Amino acid sequence: IPSSKLLVKGGTVVNAHHQQIADVYVEDGVIVAVNPNIRVGDDVTVIDALGKYVMPGGIDPHTHLDMDVGFTATVDDFFSGQAAALAGGTTMHIDFVIPLNGSLTAGFEDYEKKAKKSCMDYGFHMVITKWDETVSKEMELMVKEKGINSFKFFMAYKGIFMINDELLLEGLKKCKSLGALAMVHAENGDAVYEGQEKMIELGITGPEGHALSRPAMLEGEATARAIRLADFVNTPLYVVHVMSIDAMEEIEKARKSGQKVIGEPIASGLGLDESWLWHPDFEIAAKYVMSPPIRKRGHDRALQAALSTGVLQLVGTDHCAFNSTQKARGVDDFRKIPNGVNGIEERMHLVWDIMVESGQITPSDYVRLTSTECARIFNLYPKKGAILPGSDADIIILNPNSSFEISAKSHHSRLDTNVYEGRRGKGKIEVTIAGGRVVWENNELKVTPGTGRYIQMPPFSYLFDGLDKKDAIYLNSLQAPVKRVKAST
Amino acid sequence: IPSSKLLVKGGTVVNAHHQQIADVYVEDGVIVAVNPNIRVGDDVTVIDALGKYVMPGGIDPHTHLDMDVGFTATVDDFFSGQAAALAGGTTMHIDFVIPLNGSLTAGFEDYEKKAKKSCMDYGFHMVITKWDETVSKEMELMVKEKGINSFKFFMAYKGIFMINDELLLEGLKKCKSLGALAMVHAENGDAVYEGQEKMIELGITGPEGHALSRPAMLEGEATARAIRLADFVNTPLYVVHVMSIDAMEEIEKARKSGQKVIGEPIASGLGLDESWLWHPDFEIAAKYVMSPPIRKRGHDRALQAALSTGVLQLVGTDHCAFNSTQKARGVDDFRKIPNGVNGIEERMHLVWDIMVESGQITPSDYVRLTSTECARIFNLYPKKGAILPGSDADIIILNPNSSFEISAKSHHSRLDTNVYEGRRGKGKIEVTIAGGRVVWENNELKVTPGTGRYIQMPPFSYLFDGLDKKDAIYLNSLQAPVKRVKAST
Amino acid sequence: IPSSKLLVKGGTVVNAHHQQIADVYVEDGVIVAVNPNIRVGDDVTVIDALGKYVMPGGIDPHTHLDMDVGFTATVDDFFSGQAAALAGGTTMHIDFVIPLNGSLTAGFEDYEKKAKKSCMDYGFHMVITKWDETVSKEMELMVKEKGINSFKFFMAYKGIFMINDELLLEGLKKCKSLGALAMVHAENGDAVYEGQEKMIELGITGPEGHALSRPAMLEGEATARAIRLADFVNTPLYVVHVMSIDAMEEIEKARKSGQKVIGEPIASGLGLDESWLWHPDFEIAAKYVMSPPIRKRGHDRALQAALSTGVLQLVGTDHCAFNSTQKARGVDDFRKIPNGVNGIEERMHLVWDIMVESGQITPSDYVRLTSTECARIFNLYPKKGAILPGSDADIIILNPNSSFEISAKSHHSRLDTNVYEGRRGKGKIEVTIAGGRVVWENNELKVTPGTGRYIQMPPFSYLFDGLDKKDAIYLNSLQAPVKRVKAST
Amino acid sequence: IPSSKLLVKGGTVVNAHHQQIADVYVEDGVIVAVNPNIRVGDDVTVIDALGKYVMPGGIDPHTHLDMDVGFTATVDDFFSGQAAALAGGTTMHIDFVIPLNGSLTAGFEDYEKKAKKSCMDYGFHMVITKWDETVSKEMELMVKEKGINSFKFFMAYKGIFMINDELLLEGLKKCKSLGALAMVHAENGDAVYEGQEKMIELGITGPEGHALSRPAMLEGEATARAIRLADFVNTPLYVVHVMSIDAMEEIEKARKSGQKVIGEPIASGLGLDESWLWHPDFEIAAKYVMSPPIRKRGHDRALQAALSTGVLQLVGTDHCAFNSTQKARGVDDFRKIPNGVNGIEERMHLVWDIMVESGQITPSDYVRLTSTECARIFNLYPKKGAILPGSDADIIILNPNSSFEISAKSHHSRLDTNVYEGRRGKGKIEVTIAGGRVVWENNELKVTPGTGRYIQMPPFSYLFDGLDKKDAIYLNSLQAPVKRVKAST
Ligand SMILES: [Zn+2]
Ligand SMILES: [Zn+2]
Ligand SMILES: [Zn+2]
Ligand SMILES: [Zn+2]
Ligand SMILES: [Zn+2]
Ligand SMILES: [Zn+2]
Ligand SMILES: [Zn+2]
Ligand SMILES: [Zn+2]
């Protein structure tokens, strides 16, 4: 039986707000002390972290484990996906509940079941695809009783998930009243549909047609629209998978004006470019198909820069894994290729290599982007996202002088491919501690189904601070109704 | 019988590309010569223009004469509205044909009848409110046989004119194939509806509620959306009545990227601000109700600056006149106030005073913004929009040292009010010559119903130049379809 | 004898990274614990903070106490100025050492003497006004032995402090090598001189001439220049007293590109506008004379917005106090009015009222802007700028439901006027604890000369993190020198 | 004897404001008529232009013929350079007079002599390198008696031509009072000097060191500075050789604000990139050395886009030709390589190919960018820059279906190399008519020294329109001097 007492010794403890050389003492899954030179008894497992970074475990805000897409489901379930996550230094994720036959409650129960086998902590967002009184009431229920504080709206996938502006406005209003965060998948679905038709007409049926059918301007358009509608309602907005300069610049503009908009780039958007979709081997090309598409070289660098300057706030993955045989469904028509790439296991290493090793951000920034800000946005800080007395003992130890290499052969996901196949970089997560348990050490996983906990997320995160003041100021500013001399005569 | 030969003598002849002191000689409605010191016989009427500007008559790209809005119609018909126009130096306008029971042809015939009483030249745009095969074919007919080269789409007026993105995409594609210009009224109709509900709920039922219910961000949103969809289709776009910084900046961004987008501010947007809508006298407040609304102070100056720097290209009016009794319909509910302000008679004076007298633009710019650019956009240049040999003899003489004053008492529109009541400024149009006839002189109008001509506007204006090259370059850039080693096996 | 043990009980403890309800326990000038429900013995002085904010004391990065300007000196010395600061919730300031007869060492010794009477902690920046080998060596001495980690360069004050680009480049290189932060007063001094001449020629000799002679574009120009030269050298830059949109936008642009630029607005720039300079009473107008000038309305709001969105990072005061009799020197010529306004006592209240009460920022942001970020920039965090175990016990208690009023009659500065005379606002700092001593309570000051400590500031703050990586990447990117086939033949 | 009567028949006559199919009739060096189907007698030489473009001859605003640089002089004199120009469709250029021993008059006389051998029309700008009363008076003389309406200031070339901000301000004021256009070579000379030192220290002595020593940010800086100083003085500014995005964006920003700033990209900036400077063969690399340097790929495309959207207004060449032996002077030190590239002969073809063939601009735009706008800026329109009755008969005939190829073997400059060696493109200038004479036809030049005329350029071009109004509005806006109750007592 492993000890429930741990001491992580001599490392550089990094929080989003500060870094210092210190020991971290853990008891029963919780961090008890963070100080230099903590002395402990023999019953404590001591982990040496000298010369290494001790940081909060990663939180992935955007995953799709065990997601049913009708003709098939993603290959990683709540166990395999989470095991992969832990091997990559991520100790919590937030998955998207899909309503079942239109019912939020049924969807929630479905995901509760799926998540039974969890080996790490997780939370849920909820997808909204239609609008009526029942949906509205179920949203309230989800927030008040089920620990959900975010709802996602799809502006694309015409005929499936796509909602129109009227529904989006209703959703935004409801979110605001509940203190829940509205999230959008932002692409103009009508134009995407048009673009797909055009590509097929041009005889472009391969994976490259996927990218060509939904250019960045359509992501920019929908992002701009969602932002303005959220501004109109005066409620915070979270834009998932920001893949393009176009979308990023809209977020930048809104934030500059003081609007509360969160932009989430994902690992694949930061580390890949669309050229793979032109690969002559369909199997290779197809594995890069996701929406919005991975963009042309240049977008990746711009998204990195936006992360480093605070225009974007946190990094997700949209981990949504389909095997080659599943992807092959669209061999004659890119529209039939199931959308999604892996990332839950690779995110933490990639962000370190791409962002910290290049001098774009500091380790403190890294912690903020991969963990702390996610915890703050979804109202879990400082329980999650920090190495502070009282925080959950979700901890990673990263050796900046070691290196990593990614391959489907060695990864822990069930996926038979990897979009980062062969990629190497600096910085290696050598230890992952989740809930006070050492689950990854010496390149070995020690995970147990059922040990992961569902983390309820309370509404009214910091993004809602000052909102009522702004509403009051707005109402005062109207100088209306005007009292009119001539009444209706 | 007035002579059909005229000599405008000694003025500063201003074209968009150059100004010079010269005489202008006219025969049979057409300019024959523009030279210094033209000598003519005794049969020629000589008009002295010494010390004055001799410029092309104004062209108003945006009017609604004799428009039926269901419960009533605009008070200015094709005679009274045009007479007013001529008194204000405008010698041509382009009106919007509304389909009749869904039929473009019927709508066109309806407007043909309305226009029989015309006393000046006019052209037509056509409004598109629904989509099917018939509409598509009628659009072709309008362009190929009826002299129409522009179609307008409303992104607002939910439940009446409003079209969705799917229809807009179809419309843009059709416009492109016909060489016709797509025009949009850009406001997010769903959000406007929501905004109206909110105002009513807040008890704000007066005219100020009109402005509050549809803020500038909603105009910006729809403008951004239309621009991107036009870019997606690669066809030029004309944004009517640009009223806000928000919309203007979207146009600026698109033009900076090389996209062909035309922005039309209107007289009321340049010269007024929303404060009138808060006027305690309903009758006064109501006359300023139009959509998009006249904006806060600051938007007017920014739109002026955008005109002077080329971000916006021409000035219209959206002349759409309703009397006080008509406006009174919405005394208890701003949603029932018929939308529209006057301007067809005032535009030329206002633009001179606001833009030239302030040093923001030169007289050449003035000609460009009020006449030449409109002629170029709608493919009439240099027949219209220029004082060159061969051009139509539509000429104004403006005295920069004289001044004007606007009042419902003295204006020539049938409207019982004027949104510019009491306004004075420098620069007076002393003479208007339309089709070679002196129709305005010594503050007197000499107009005859039936003398105005319908001006057919051919498709493929200069805005379409190079479009095929761009399409070809785009197709080449795709590097698709990719030849794949493994075919579908 | 007051106890050296304090317990601040039941307040909302606010740090830049988090806020929580907790007690703060202090011993011997240092914070020992921050936890809910700390139990202490009877020897501990307990201060009730229920319903109030407990925050780190303010740090003012920009003051001029006891500064000799040749014909006179500022009226507040290190005792009176600091006393005023403490009454206003500021517990540390950083003053500017002026070299004496060109000697940095002599200047430093001069300021050491002036600061003997200090009643609160302070640090020093050093001004650089000329360049030679001695200056270069003294800079090194200041950093390595005297605890100075920042040097200021004046781009204005032609003939007095003004340096040219050549010197600025030398200074920037030296700063970089020392890990010291370069600071600039950014105005184009040549153009300011030209502007002053012009105003005098126009007969504009009053205080309004001061503002008119040095418009915002000149601040923008110099800011842009300094930023680019700092980028050229690749070293961080700190722009003092950002007074205009022009300067702010340059900082924004640089930060967007990833450059390390810090922008410091000051209280007067956030809370005042230039209209005071047009006041018909010279005495009133003259008290607002400072450089760069307080700007037109609009700049204030834009600077506030920039603070709230992270474009600007911290708030100073440029406290530089001259009495009416001193200001009167320029009664016939604005160029002779000594430049400077008060602020050291008012800053903390003003920033709360202007920024937090308006909903623009949260209390955590407030702490960051008034204290934490300053501590981080000058490498004092978390000793200063935080309420954490181990931090100095510099603490304020702010009652958000109380209010303040500013007047020369009641302020603690020696100044006979106050630029905020009569101003009221919400939020009152009821208690100030400096170095573990309660120095301000019940509107009473308890300060003792000599109790303030000189705080050495080590070089290489977080702004220098990753700089070497960037330099290395830059050098690698050169692909030079190229090996040439033909050598010099 | 060639006829002095010409008829250019059946071509598409392109002016900046319009294009039409028409004949052009010329007598005695002047265009007499532009009409379809002009009938002429047998004494008229008829040139067939069917299917071709008939356009105004190019005007190159920026050349250095026969320029003495101390140790050597440019290889093209006023005959060889102009002959090359004519072969490439340019029929006028404006060269820079360098003062002789500080005397503007002596410099002017020197260039008068150099220009005696001219075979095409030319004008002069004057360079200003120092400031005193004499310079000021000579500037007046140049404008009032010598036909010069533009003065150039160098912000780089430290120790040679470089002026500081004080001199630039004086120069701008003088230019304004004379109605003359101020021009700047915009690079920060102090920083360039620093950059050169740095490269030498790094051992980078080859041509690539030239580019590395003066990065785009330094061009951006100086451009921003010159623009603001010109704004401060309120006088128009012309930025020569805009080579970078950095400079272009500053111009864009200024123009957006309504300031009168002209940006001149040059052929090499539009058509080349810096990679040549890294060429392993010194002789090849060295021929690309010019200042500001040719920039990285990306700048070229951005400058093209800026031209097409009106951010930049006309294209020059900075033709400044040095042979390989002259360039070899700097074989061991890039600082000694004489700066300059060719272009006077290639410009017209390159701009057509790069801009028109790519669909970025129309033929009318081409005429504007290569001829008309230059004529307008330097106050020569419509004598130059137009095909209108009364204009000088400077005409080119371009065959859009033919093609060109550039080579030192076939070009007409005396230069032994060509920076465009081997370049091919579409569009061939088949005929050049200068002053009514056919000087280039069937790939043959027929030029005679002494036939070129000096073209005086009057001050107060259109750029000065409205300037006095703006000054008046500015003065009114000051609301100063304030009348003060207490006078100096
Ligand atoms: Zn998605
Ligand atoms: Zn997803
Ligand atoms: Zn409309
Ligand atoms: Zn309309
Ligand atoms: Zn200063
Ligand atoms: Zn200062
Ligand atoms: Zn130059
Ligand atoms: Zn040059």
Short mmCIF file of all heavy atoms in Angstrom, two decimals, chain A residues 348-369:
data_model
loop_
_atom_site.label_atom_id
_atom_site.label_comp_id
_atom_site.label_asym_id
_atom_site.label_seq_id
_atom_site.Cartn_x
_atom_site.Cartn_y
_atom_site.Cartn_z
N MET A 348 0.61 18.72 -22.47
CA MET A 348 1.52 19.33 -21.50
C MET A 348 2.95 19.40 -22.03
O MET A 348 3.64 20.41 -21.85
CB MET A 348 1.45 18.58 -20.17
CG MET A 348 0.11 18.64 -19.46
SD MET A 348 -0.35 20.29 -18.87
CE MET A 348 0.69 20.44 -17.42
N HIS A 349 3.38 18.33 -22.69
CA HIS A 349 4.73 18.33 -23.25
C HIS A 349 4.85 19.33 -24.40
O HIS A 349 5.82 20.06 -24.51
CB HIS A 349 5.09 16.92 -23.74
CG HIS A 349 5.48 16.00 -22.63
ND1 HIS A 349 4.68 14.98 -22.20
CD2 HIS A 349 6.60 15.95 -21.84
CE1 HIS A 349 5.27 14.32 -21.20
NE2 HIS A 349 6.43 14.90 -20.96
N LEU A 350 3.83 19.34 -25.25
CA LEU A 350 3.90 20.22 -26.41
C LEU A 350 3.94 21.69 -26.01
O LEU A 350 4.71 22.49 -26.55
CB LEU A 350 2.71 19.97 -27.34
CG LEU A 350 2.74 18.63 -28.10
CD1 LEU A 350 1.40 18.37 -28.76
CD2 LEU A 350 3.87 18.63 -29.13
N VAL A 351 3.09 22.04 -25.06
CA VAL A 351 3.04 23.45 -24.66
C VAL A 351 4.37 23.88 -24.04
O VAL A 351 4.87 24.97 -24.28
CB VAL A 351 1.86 23.71 -23.70
CG1 VAL A 351 1.88 25.15 -23.19
CG2 VAL A 351 0.53 23.44 -24.41
N TRP A 352 4.94 22.99 -23.25
CA TRP A 352 6.25 23.32 -22.68
C TRP A 352 7.29 23.54 -23.78
O TRP A 352 8.01 24.54 -23.81
CB TRP A 352 6.73 22.19 -21.74
CG TRP A 352 8.04 22.53 -21.08
CD1 TRP A 352 9.29 22.27 -21.56
CD2 TRP A 352 8.21 23.24 -19.85
NE1 TRP A 352 10.24 22.76 -20.70
CE2 TRP A 352 9.61 23.37 -19.64
CE3 TRP A 352 7.35 23.79 -18.90
CZ2 TRP A 352 10.14 24.02 -18.52
CZ3 TRP A 352 7.88 24.42 -17.78
CH2 TRP A 352 9.25 24.54 -17.60
N ASP A 353 7.34 22.60 -24.69
CA ASP A 353 8.36 22.67 -25.73
C ASP A 353 8.17 23.87 -26.65
O ASP A 353 9.10 24.61 -26.95
CB ASP A 353 8.34 21.37 -26.55
CG ASP A 353 9.48 21.32 -27.55
OD1 ASP A 353 10.63 21.52 -27.13
OD2 ASP A 353 9.22 21.11 -28.75
N ILE A 354 6.93 24.05 -27.07
CA ILE A 354 6.65 25.12 -28.05
C ILE A 354 6.73 26.50 -27.41
O ILE A 354 7.22 27.45 -28.02
CB ILE A 354 5.23 24.90 -28.65
CG1 ILE A 354 5.20 23.64 -29.51
CG2 ILE A 354 4.79 26.12 -29.45
CD1 ILE A 354 3.81 23.23 -29.96
N MET A 355 6.27 26.60 -26.18
CA MET A 355 6.12 27.93 -25.59
C MET A 355 7.26 28.31 -24.63
O MET A 355 7.74 29.43 -24.65
CB MET A 355 4.78 28.02 -24.85
CG MET A 355 3.56 27.82 -25.73
SD MET A 355 3.37 29.06 -27.04
CE MET A 355 3.09 30.53 -26.07
N VAL A 356 7.63 27.40 -23.76
CA VAL A 356 8.65 27.74 -22.76
C VAL A 356 10.05 27.61 -23.35
O VAL A 356 10.87 28.51 -23.20
CB VAL A 356 8.52 26.85 -21.49
CG1 VAL A 356 9.55 27.28 -20.45
CG2 VAL A 356 7.12 26.93 -20.92
N GLU A 357 10.28 26.53 -24.04
CA GLU A 357 11.63 26.32 -24.59
C GLU A 357 12.00 27.39 -25.62
O GLU A 357 13.17 27.67 -25.83
CB GLU A 357 11.73 24.92 -25.21
CG GLU A 357 11.91 23.81 -24.19
CD GLU A 357 13.17 24.00 -23.34
OE1 GLU A 357 14.20 24.43 -23.86
OE2 GLU A 357 13.10 23.72 -22.12
N SER A 358 11.00 27.96 -26.26
CA SER A 358 11.28 28.99 -27.27
C SER A 358 11.43 30.38 -26.65
O SER A 358 11.66 31.35 -27.34
CB SER A 358 10.12 29.04 -28.26
OG SER A 358 8.95 29.50 -27.61
N GLY A 359 11.29 30.45 -25.33
CA GLY A 359 11.42 31.75 -24.68
C GLY A 359 10.17 32.62 -24.78
O GLY A 359 10.18 33.77 -24.38
N GLN A 360 9.08 32.06 -25.27
CA GLN A 360 7.87 32.87 -25.40
C GLN A 360 7.16 33.10 -24.08
O GLN A 360 6.51 34.11 -23.89
CB GLN A 360 6.91 32.23 -26.41
CG GLN A 360 7.45 32.19 -27.82
CD GLN A 360 6.40 31.72 -28.83
OE1 GLN A 360 5.57 32.48 -29.30
NE2 GLN A 360 6.44 30.44 -29.16
N ILE A 361 7.23 32.11 -23.19
CA ILE A 361 6.60 32.27 -21.88
C ILE A 361 7.52 31.71 -20.79
O ILE A 361 8.46 30.98 -21.07
CB ILE A 361 5.22 31.55 -21.79
CG1 ILE A 361 5.38 30.03 -21.99
CG2 ILE A 361 4.24 32.13 -22.80
CD1 ILE A 361 4.11 29.24 -21.70
N THR A 362 7.20 32.05 -19.55
CA THR A 362 7.95 31.55 -18.41
C THR A 362 7.24 30.33 -17.82
O THR A 362 6.08 30.08 -18.15
CB THR A 362 8.03 32.62 -17.31
OG1 THR A 362 6.70 32.86 -16.84
CG2 THR A 362 8.63 33.92 -17.83
N PRO A 363 7.90 29.59 -16.94
CA PRO A 363 7.20 28.47 -16.29
C PRO A 363 5.92 28.90 -15.58
O PRO A 363 4.92 28.18 -15.60
CB PRO A 363 8.26 27.94 -15.32
CG PRO A 363 9.56 28.19 -16.03
CD PRO A 363 9.35 29.55 -16.66
N SER A 364 5.94 30.07 -14.97
CA SER A 364 4.71 30.54 -14.31
C SER A 364 3.58 30.72 -15.32
O SER A 364 2.42 30.38 -15.05
CB SER A 364 4.96 31.88 -13.60
OG SER A 364 5.53 31.67 -12.33
N ASP A 365 3.91 31.26 -16.45
CA ASP A 365 2.90 31.38 -17.50
C ASP A 365 2.39 30.00 -17.91
O ASP A 365 1.20 29.80 -18.15
CB ASP A 365 3.51 32.04 -18.75
CG ASP A 365 3.93 33.48 -18.51
OD1 ASP A 365 3.30 34.16 -17.68
OD2 ASP A 365 4.90 33.93 -19.16
N TYR A 366 3.31 29.06 -18.01
CA TYR A 366 2.95 27.70 -18.40
C TYR A 366 1.90 27.12 -17.46
O TYR A 366 0.90 26.54 -17.89
CB TYR A 366 4.21 26.83 -18.39
CG TYR A 366 3.99 25.36 -18.61
CD1 TYR A 366 3.77 24.86 -19.89
CD2 TYR A 366 4.03 24.47 -17.54
CE1 TYR A 366 3.58 23.50 -20.10
CE2 TYR A 366 3.85 23.11 -17.75
CZ TYR A 366 3.62 22.62 -19.03
OH TYR A 366 3.43 21.28 -19.22
N VAL A 367 2.12 27.31 -16.18
CA VAL A 367 1.17 26.81 -15.18
C VAL A 367 -0.18 27.49 -15.35
O VAL A 367 -1.24 26.85 -15.31
CB VAL A 367 1.73 27.03 -13.76
CG1 VAL A 367 0.65 26.81 -12.71
CG2 VAL A 367 2.93 26.12 -13.52
N ARG A 368 -0.11 28.78 -15.60
CA ARG A 368 -1.36 29.52 -15.81
C ARG A 368 -2.14 28.96 -17.00
O ARG A 368 -3.34 28.72 -16.92
CB ARG A 368 -1.04 31.00 -16.01
CG ARG A 368 -2.24 31.88 -16.28
CD ARG A 368 -1.91 33.37 -16.19
NE ARG A 368 -0.70 33.75 -16.89
CZ ARG A 368 -0.63 33.97 -18.22
NH1 ARG A 368 -1.70 33.82 -18.97
NH2 ARG A 368 0.51 34.31 -18.77
N LEU A 369 -1.46 28.77 -18.11
CA LEU A 369 -2.11 28.38 -19.36
C LEU A 369 -2.60 26.93 -19.38
O LEU A 369 -3.54 26.59 -20.09
CB LEU A 369 -1.14 28.57 -20.53
CG LEU A 369 -0.64 29.98 -20.77
CD1 LEU A 369 0.45 29.96 -21.84
CD2 LEU A 369 -1.79 30.89 -21.19
#
